[in-house]
Amino acid sequence: ERFYVASGEDAFQVKREPLVAELNSKLEEAKAQAVEVKRLSVLDSVNNYFSNQSEKIARKNNSFVNVGIIGKRLELSVAGIYTDDLYVYFKVRLMNKSNIRYDLDYMNFTIVTKGKKKRRKSAEQETQLISVYVYNKEVNQLLKNESITRIYAFEKFTFDKNRELQIESWEKGGNRNLKLRVDDKALLGAQRIE
């Protein structure tokens, strides 16, 4: 099918199918870009929400004193547990008291059965938690007497008195790993974020 396009005194023929196909292609491309923009907008909103909640927590005084461990000239502690009904936030502090720089590789959060030592791991005994947001994750190196405070956000969870949350810090290129245990009472005592 052909149609005519007039321009001034000249008229010329144009095939309709290639134009329609090109327009449909551009329309699909525009739709895909619009979906991506909307997805990025939602992600920005979610990140802003967690960032705002984490900044509120960061400004709060530490609410825990007895949940921590010292070993290998490092100190790992939970400075507070908070909630906003949908999420649970852990304010975790790591301090290096040695003369050797500590490079934090990652922190691991696992719900484990209390008192079970050196048994085969199974799905019933351990539940790995994946954080939905980490505040201050850019800082990974600790020189002597330096500390970092991170806030980890998780979807709301609880566990019974026979289980506990195990928080582990892992050193990159080293073996100074620490393991900290948090019981159900500490979790249930989470402070509300206002």
Side-chain angles (χ1 to χ4, degrees):
E1 193 176 327
R2 296 179 185 272
F3 62 95
Y4 292 91
V5 176
S7 174
E9 293 179 11
D10 299 326
F12 56 93
Q13 289 184 347
V14 179
K15 287 188 177 182
R16 181 177 174 179
E17 293 81 19
L19 283 177
V20 170
E22 183 179 344
L23 288 174
N24 282 339
S25 173
K26 290 191 186 257
L27 181 61
E28 290 302 317
E29 187 178 309
K31 285 180 184 177
Q33 288 174 349
V35 167
E36 181 64 14
V37 166
K38 187 172 183 176
R39 187 183 74 77
L40 291 175
S41 175
V42 169
L43 286 175
D44 283 345
S45 295
V46 169
N47 278 334
N48 285 338
Y49 175 79
F50 286 124
S51 179
N52 290 338
Q53 294 294 65
S54 296
E55 286 173 11
K56 288 178 191 176
I57 293 168
R59 288 190 297 269
K60 290 181 176 273
N61 291 332
N62 298 344
S63 64
F64 282 27
V65 182
N66 296 329
V67 181
I69 187 167
I70 298 173
K72 302 176 185 176
R73 302 194 104 182
L74 296 169
E75 182 179 314
L76 176 64
S77 61
V78 175
I81 303 175
Y82 303 89
T83 186
D84 62 4
D85 289 333
L86 296 174
Y87 300 95
V88 177
Y89 302 82
F90 288 84
K91 185 176 184 181
V92 179
R93 183 171 181 260
L94 181 63
M95 181 170 192
N96 182 14
K97 294 183 176 184
S98 79
N99 291 323
I100 299 172
R101 183 182 79 201
Y102 183 85
D103 295 316
L104 178 61
D105 192 8
Y106 63 92
M107 299 283 277
N108 195 24
F109 291 75
T110 310
I111 298 174
V112 298
T113 303
K114 283 185 182 178
K116 303 292 182 194
K117 298 196 184 216
K118 299 289 181 185
R119 293 187 66 172
R120 282 196 327 216
K121 295 177 183 177
S122 71
E124 287 183 4
Q125 292 175 327
E126 290 191 1
T127 305
Q128 180 83 32
L129 299 178
I130 306 297
S131 60
V132 293
Y133 182 81
V134 180
Y135 178 80
N136 200 23
K137 67 180 173 186
E138 300 80 24
V139 180
N140 292 315
Q141 294 183 347
L142 295 168
L143 301 176
K144 179 181 181 177
N145 293 323
E146 282 187 339
S147 66
I148 59 170
T149 300
R150 286 191 177 169
I151 298 165
Y152 293 86
F154 298 93
E155 289 184 10
K156 180 186 73 85
F157 69 92
T158 59
F159 49 87
D160 64 27
K161 65 181 181 179
N162 298 322
R163 300 182 61 122
E164 60 193 3
L165 176 65
Q166 187 172 280
I167 303 172
E168 297 173 281
S169 68
W170 290 83
E171 183 179 22
K172 187 175 191 174
N175 201 17
R176 292 181 291 171
N177 307 326
L178 290 180
K179 190 181 298 185
L180 167 69
R181 300 179 189 284
V182 179
D183 66 16
D184 63 311
K185 290 176 188 167
L187 178 62
L188 293 175
Q191 293 184 3
R192 181 139 180 82
I193 303 171
E194 302 299 332

